[in-house]
Amino acid sequence: MLTVSNLSVQFGKRILFDQVNIGFFPGNCYGIIGANGSGKSTLLNVLSEKLEPTSGRVHLEKGKRLSVLEQNHHAYNQYPVLETVLRGNKRLFALKKEIDALYNKPDFNDQDSERVGVLQLEFENLDGWNAESDAAMLLSHLNVSESLHHQPMELIDPKVKVRILLAQALFGNPDVLIMDEPTNDLDYQTIQWLNEFLTSFENTAIVVSHDRFFLDAVCTHISDIDFGKITHYSGNYTFWYESSQLALRQKAQQNKKLEEKKKELQEFIRRFSANVAKSKQATARKKMVENLKFEEIKPSSRKYPGIIFKKERDVGDQILNIENLSASIDGQMVFQHLNLNLEKNDKVLIYSKDQRAVSLLFDLIVKKMQAGTGTVEWGLTTSRAYLPYDHDAFFDCDLSLVEWLHQFAKTEEEREEPYLRGFLGKMLFSGDEALKSVRVLSGGEKVRCMLSRMMMQNANVLLLDQPTNHLDLESITALNNSLKNFNGNIIFSTTDHTFAQTLANRVIELSPNGCLDRHTDFNDFLNDPKLNELRNRLYELELSQ
């Protein structure tokens, strides 16, 4: 068990945590949530003893091992891939190193032999003889090719490094597993494997993630950072979100009798219990939800940005027509033979294992680049608003937020400072925040600014390349809900499974050997046996080239 006693963390005058007392128990997976800046990553650093708290203490039960997903991707550059994974279990690796050193001594003696015997006994108890094969299997599950296992980490592609460091954290069945954004840069199939791994993980897991599908799949508890405190709630993220919204509505209904509120909450809990996702932990989760007392559900202090897309006019019959479009990067084909006739109300997910292919397609669609092969034709009635994957160039200036947004105003009303300030306020930039330089904005703040720019365009076709990157859960939820309600066309990419599943009604998968196009939702697209068979054939063809 991992416990926190009287924990306080303060930076200058800013108090992140104030006298927090909480425990993390075996068999549970805790999803840490909180607004940007609330202290999620700070909490993980305190729990893993990378950061000293202002006061209080963290206690890990004696003899238990804690493992942390490494955030510094260069920390193991001097080591081979397989050794990097083995180093995840520090005691096991230290034993192996000492045993090897003793055996390599030129003057190996009886005393050394006795020492080796003691070390090997502990090594065997830690299942050391299977360590290399276990590490190799983990790497295989995370799609790290066997040909890379003995390569130095410094030569490994950054996206593959993420998988190796994840394998390192998972290696050796740690008693407490701590992970900050473990799904970053993973494809959907690898995320699904990680979901299944954590669902059957019998020890303690603590994760920070902005991926709602991941939090729903793996979490037995949501640990909410709010008001300087940390509160555990039974159930997954969706249950926490829906119950907190219900509590917020009830708080607003001051005249409603307490007994009526209680019945409403109990009915909500009953309905949710019946819909707990099937998994190895489903029964335990269902019991937790059923045993939840209505007094435990509290409204959140979270603020959600006001994201509303309106279109100036409807599209005509001709929207977007793409014929035989192919593209390559540095001579390597990334997709080919793409044909698309966009229909009214299509909300199209562009899906690929190669993000470069996706971003290149968006650049071709918006005609930022000229297609070498194929054509892209927009209908005359269309107007487009675009959020590119890389949008840093938009903020390479010394303007304030108000001045920056003023550039994109089309009407006299929109150019007035009160209007711009009100608009920015809805996007959570209030007071003096509206006057700060765009150069100092965080990644999430930049995305909110780009969404503001898109809203002011009143376009009937929205194009968004990885819009959930850098956003917090509140902003992702607000954007997701807004796009679901938008009655124009959308073409988008995302690594957020819930975002993809709840928004797309058509999916296009890009491939170097052809593209798949289906009018379906994302789950059906991933799980269709015939599509999987075709997808595997295209992948095998790619490997053979």
Side-chain angles (χ1 to χ4, degrees), residues 192 195-196 198-200 216-220 236 275-286:
Q192 182 57 37
N195 289 349
E196 292 169 2
L198 291 175
T199 298
S200 58
D216 276 352
V218 306
C219 289
T220 59
N236 60 18
N275 293 320
V276 173
K278 292 179 181 178
S279 74
K280 292 181 180 179
Q281 294 183 5
T283 303
R285 291 178 193 178
K286 184 176 179 182

Side-chain angles (χ1 to χ4, degrees), residues 320-327 335 337-342 361 364-367 369-378:
L320 171 64
N321 187 55
I322 296 175
E323 292 188 0
N324 201 32
L325 191 65
S326 301
F335 70 85
H337 308 315
L338 173 63
N339 294 283
L340 167 65
N341 183 29
L342 195 64
L361 174 60
L364 293 171
I365 288 176
V366 299
K367 305 204 171 176
M369 296 178 62
Q370 189 66 36
T373 304
T375 60
V376 177
E377 296 291 339
W378 284 100

Side-chain angles (χ1 to χ4, degrees), residues 29-35 40 207 209-224 233-245 268 272 285 289 300 302 304 472-478 480-481 496 498:
C29 179
Y30 300 86
I32 310 296
I33 64 169
K40 297 186 293 294
V207 299
S209 178
H210 289 154
D211 187 327
R212 294 165 294 169
F213 180 82
F214 177 74
L215 291 175
D216 276 352
V218 306
C219 289
T220 59
H221 293 75
I222 291 299
S223 304
D224 184 27
Y233 294 97
S234 299
N236 60 18
Y237 175 76
T238 295
F239 179 74
W240 171 86
Y241 172 74
E242 293 184 2
S243 60
S244 67
Q245 292 297 299
F268 170 79
F272 194 92
R285 291 178 193 178
V289 173
S300 170
R302 302 287 201 287
Y304 292 79
D472 57 22
L473 281 165
E474 291 71 44
S475 297
I476 291 172
T477 301
N480 198 168
N481 290 338
D496 185 308
T498 299

